[in-house]
Amino acid sequence: MWSAGNRMVKYMRKIINPFSLLLFVLLFSCKKEGQECVLDNEVLGIQIDFELERLEDQFFEARTKEDFSYLLDAHPLFAQNYLQMGTYSERDDLIEELLWANKDTLLIDLYQEVRTYFADISELELELRTAFKHIKYHYPEFKVPKVYTVVTGFGSDIYLDKDILVIGLDYYLPFEHRFQPPDLPLYITKRYQREYLVPMVVKAISTQFNRTDMSQNTLLAEMIYYGKSYHFTKSILPCTPDEYIIGYTADEVAACFANEVMIWSHFVENDLLFTTNPFEIRKYVGEAPYTDAISPDAPGRIGRWLGWNIVDDYRFNNKFSLQEMMLESDTEKIFRQSGYKPRP
């Protein structure tokens, strides 16, 4: 039966002595006081070089070629990396495109909506700063990117490289808003909400630490890859509910835990873990509104959720650091050493 459960219950079943409790706290870098999640002061005390700049205001306030030329000079990494100025034969060609966009009435309307909904982004700024501190705690060599917010006209949601992070705020307007990302199915656009933004950023950052072996092309390898990404994100955002990390609803997350035995049995009984059939793999880790091979009520990408549980157990049962866990590319080893078993 597809009903309720939760990730905390899964871990509390493991906590049988004070050492296990300590490990649980260290693993997720936060403490529970009543219903409130309190972040570790050691992490919060880390000093980082963090800067967020709202470019959408500057670009829509620009009126002339000289204005845009000044902006390109003032933000060279944004101009070169994000706007790809080097791909234009002439700098003026890029400026002409920006001038055209600046006068587009629909884009102006979209900017005004973003300006209204994101009038104050101090909370977003704090969440990003805290996330970067957590990454720095686990990876002292991590270089915090400079963050820009923009209005893209639904051109890109998140752009990330080693120097900059660009966030298209127009993607994160409320779900009921009249402006929505075009050409995306409903079950995906529901994930483009304010609460999902920072987890999406952290998942994007996780790719630079997620060691993979491209020769491993099984369903299990895909499951573990995504499981490591979600585990990384939860470790960096320990107080963020699971649904905002994996992109399910709270009810879907609870139902997955309640039906974990049935889900796992389906994978085992159908010999799915080591299949290399791309069509079979896509059924369980590809984007879809539901996993109908299991149940019409089972959310899509359920193989990713199962991989997350396996990776959680791998780290929990072996006491690895986050770095050690992310560096392990042998997915069969991760599976064997996880000792994973569904919780009844």
Side-chain angles (χ1 to χ4, degrees):
M1 181 178 178
W2 212 252
S3 57
N6 60 61
R7 181 169 293 268
M8 182 62 71
V9 169
K10 170 185 173 182
Y11 278 100
M12 291 307 292
R13 287 173 182 157
K14 288 175 171 283
I15 297 172
I16 57 175
N17 58 56
F19 176 78
S20 296
L21 179 59
L22 175 61
L23 177 61
F24 179 77
V25 171
L26 292 175
L27 184 63
F28 293 103
S29 300
C30 73
K31 304 171 185 176
K32 292 284 182 179
E33 293 184 1
Q35 296 300 312
E36 183 181 2
C37 181
V38 181
L39 296 172
D40 193 317
N41 285 330
E42 182 180 355
V43 176
L44 296 178
I46 293 175
Q47 299 300 309
I48 60 171
D49 183 14
F50 172 75
E51 183 179 1
L52 185 151
E53 188 148 6
R54 302 198 66 168
L55 283 189
E56 66 272 15
D57 293 333
Q58 298 180 45
F59 271 81
F60 279 93
E61 288 168 2
R63 293 289 180 268
T64 66
K65 287 185 176 181
E66 290 72 22
D67 291 339
F68 279 108
S69 183
Y70 169 80
L71 287 175
L72 295 178
D73 289 338
H75 306 287
L77 287 175
F78 181 85
Q80 292 293 341
N81 298 18
Y82 182 72
L83 296 179
Q84 299 185 340
M85 187 167 65
T87 64
Y88 291 82
S89 57
E90 298 288 341
R91 175 186 170 101
D92 281 352
D93 293 340
L94 172 57
I95 292 176
E96 286 293 340
E97 281 194 16
L98 295 173
L99 278 169
W100 174 86
N102 183 269
K103 297 174 183 177
D104 183 88
T105 54
L106 282 176
L107 200 57
I108 292 171
D109 284 348
L110 182 59
Y111 162 65
Q112 293 297 341
E113 294 298 315
V114 168
R115 191 178 183 187
T116 298
Y117 185 69
F118 289 101
D120 180 4
I121 62 169
S122 57
E123 185 177 350
L124 171 62
E125 188 170 2
L126 176 61
E127 290 175 16
L128 286 169
R129 183 187 298 274
T130 303
F132 291 147
K133 287 185 176 185
H134 273 82
I135 298 174
K136 197 79 171 174
Y137 175 80
H138 292 283
Y139 294 89
E141 73 281 7
F142 173 67
K143 178 184 176 184
V144 176
K146 180 169 181 177
V147 182
Y148 296 97
T149 62
V150 294
V151 172
T152 71
F154 299 114
S156 64
D157 51 357
I158 291 171
Y159 169 87
L160 175 71
D161 63 31
K162 63 183 179 63
D163 297 310
I164 63 172
L165 166 66
V166 182
I167 299 171
L169 290 178
D170 41 326
Y171 271 87
Y172 299 93
L173 291 168
F175 176 67
E176 65 277 7
H177 197 279
R178 64 190 177 98
F179 286 117
Q180 292 296 321
D183 304 322
L184 286 178
L186 185 64
Y187 69 90
I188 291 180
T189 57
K190 284 183 177 179
R191 304 203 296 263
Y192 279 98
Q193 306 298 303
R194 165 67 184 81
E195 295 83 0
Y196 294 88
L197 200 167
V198 175
M200 284 185 178
V201 169
V202 176
K203 277 183 285 185
I205 292 173
S206 77
T207 60
Q208 65 185 277
F209 304 113
N210 196 345
R211 185 73 59 83
T212 57
D213 180 352
M214 299 305 294
S215 68
Q216 299 180 28
N217 58 351
T218 63
L219 173 57
L220 177 65
E222 291 280 334
M223 292 163 57
I224 296 297
Y225 173 81
Y226 287 109
K228 289 167 69 180
S229 172
Y230 296 143
H231 182 97
F232 179 94
T233 304
K234 186 71 174 184
S235 297
I236 300 306
L237 304 173
C239 295
T240 298
D242 288 5
E243 57 264 31
Y244 300 132
I245 293 174
I246 194 169
Y248 287 171
T249 65
D251 287 343
E252 286 173 335
V253 171
C256 284
F257 279 114
N259 292 278
E260 190 174 2
V261 172
M262 187 256 288
I263 295 168
W264 178 241
S265 296
H266 177 87
F267 279 78
V268 173
E269 292 169 4
N270 292 280
D271 295 322
L272 292 172
L273 293 180
F274 299 102
T275 182
T276 58
N277 184 326
F279 298 103
E280 284 294 302
I281 292 173
R282 193 175 303 121
K283 281 183 187 178
Y284 298 98
V285 297
E287 287 289 359
Y290 45 79
T291 307
D292 56 355
I294 296 178
S295 165
D297 296 319
R301 300 171 291 117
I302 207 163
R304 302 187 191 186
W305 175 83
L306 191 57
W308 188 4
N309 286 316
I310 292 170
V311 171
D312 279 354
D313 284 358
Y314 172 70
R315 186 174 172 206
F316 188 96
N317 290 330
N318 294 281
K319 307 176 184 63
F320 292 125
S321 68
L322 182 62
Q323 282 202 38
E324 290 171 327
M325 186 275 292
M326 295 297 287
L327 283 172
E328 182 54 68
S329 61
D330 188 335
T331 53
E332 292 187 30
K333 176 182 176 182
I334 290 174
F335 175 57
R336 289 194 309 271
Q337 294 189 1
S338 71
Y340 169 75
K341 290 182 181 179
R343 282 78 190 168

